[in-house]
Amino acid sequence: MQPALEYQTIRPGLFFWQAYDPAVKTDLCCCAFQAPGGLVFSDPVPLDPAAMDELLAGGAPHAVLLTSANHQRDALPLARRFGVEVWAHSAARGEASATRWFEDGELLFGGVEAISLDGFAPGECAFWLDGLMVLGDALLHIAPYGFSILPDKYCADPKRGRESLKKLLRFPAEILTFAHGLPIVSQARERLAGLLNE
């Protein structure tokens, strides 16, 4: 997999990039965001070294988060390079390589709330901080699906997955980021409510 050549700044302290993975024949997307404890990478894909140096001009990463057991991606090389830990939901234990585990509702790094999303992949979760909702595979924003729920054939329990997504509606999301697809940066909660028919 070739690294992404550049990243985009979505808002101050929120960065996004993507790269095509020929093994799965789709773009893999990720973000890094400034949390109270420092810069956190979520489901990182490789980034060109010059772009990474630019991104980290303000300081080294604080941690790496996984939104599911399926999103190891560049997490371990990044963690080794910067001497930080890889965090994953405890339901991904045995499936993901992480050094720290968290539970549903736990506050990480001084304010990032972990939200477990049962019914998808092991350890599927979202992260909430200050108007930002970071998602993994549970929701997509990519062709040919558009903004949609992960197709049933990829879900462990589609009905349970749809129910668990309703937990996201209690957060006033302004921005949604995805493991597959471009961020939604306006009317995020309204679009999410429409998708979930709430």
Side-chain angles (χ1 to χ4, degrees):
M1 178 177 177
Q2 293 297 312
L5 296 178
E6 59 186 4
Y7 64 88
Q8 300 171 20
T9 302
I10 305 301
R11 71 178 187 190
L14 173 59
F15 313 99
F16 165 86
W17 62 101
Q18 62 184 340
Y20 182 77
D21 185 354
V24 292
K25 299 185 172 113
T26 193
D27 284 329
L28 307 185
C29 305
C30 67
C31 71
F33 59 92
Q34 192 67 41
L39 191 66
V40 176
F41 284 69
S42 177
D43 297 339
V45 297
L47 182 62
D48 177 80
M52 180 65 80
D53 289 345
E54 180 182 322
L55 175 63
L56 298 177
H62 179 69
V64 177
L65 284 174
L66 303 181
T67 60
S68 86
N70 296 335
H71 287 171
Q72 206 72 55
R73 298 177 169 186
D74 205 35
L76 292 177
L78 189 71
R80 282 193 295 267
R81 177 181 172 190
F82 294 104
V84 299
E85 293 192 286
V86 177
W87 293 65
H89 191 282
S90 62
R93 197 182 293 267
E95 302 279 339
S97 296
T99 50
R100 293 288 296 271
W101 308 94
F102 56 81
E103 302 297 333
D104 182 39
E106 193 170 334
L107 290 180
L108 314 174
F109 323 124
V112 179
E113 184 169 346
I115 308 150
S116 66
L117 298 173
D118 299 331
F120 297 99
E124 184 82 25
C125 56
F127 303 105
W128 164 259
L129 175 70
D130 189 27
L132 170 66
M133 185 69 70
V134 177
L135 295 149
D137 286 342
L139 296 175
L140 307 172
H141 193 220
I142 194 169
Y145 304 108
F147 179 42
S148 61
I149 299 170
L150 186 70
D152 288 356
K153 65 181 177 179
Y154 301 117
C155 301
D157 184 337
K159 183 177 179 182
R160 190 174 181 190
R162 282 174 163 71
E163 278 302 310
S164 69
L165 284 169
K166 293 179 181 178
K167 294 196 291 186
L168 304 179
L169 294 174
R170 67 185 175 91
F171 299 93
E174 300 163 7
I175 298 172
L176 304 176
T177 67
F178 308 89
H180 301 284
L182 298 176
I184 291 176
V185 298
S186 66
Q187 298 183 314
R189 191 196 176 282
E190 291 83 352
R191 292 190 63 183
L192 180 58
L195 178 66
L196 300 178
N197 298 314
E198 291 289 319

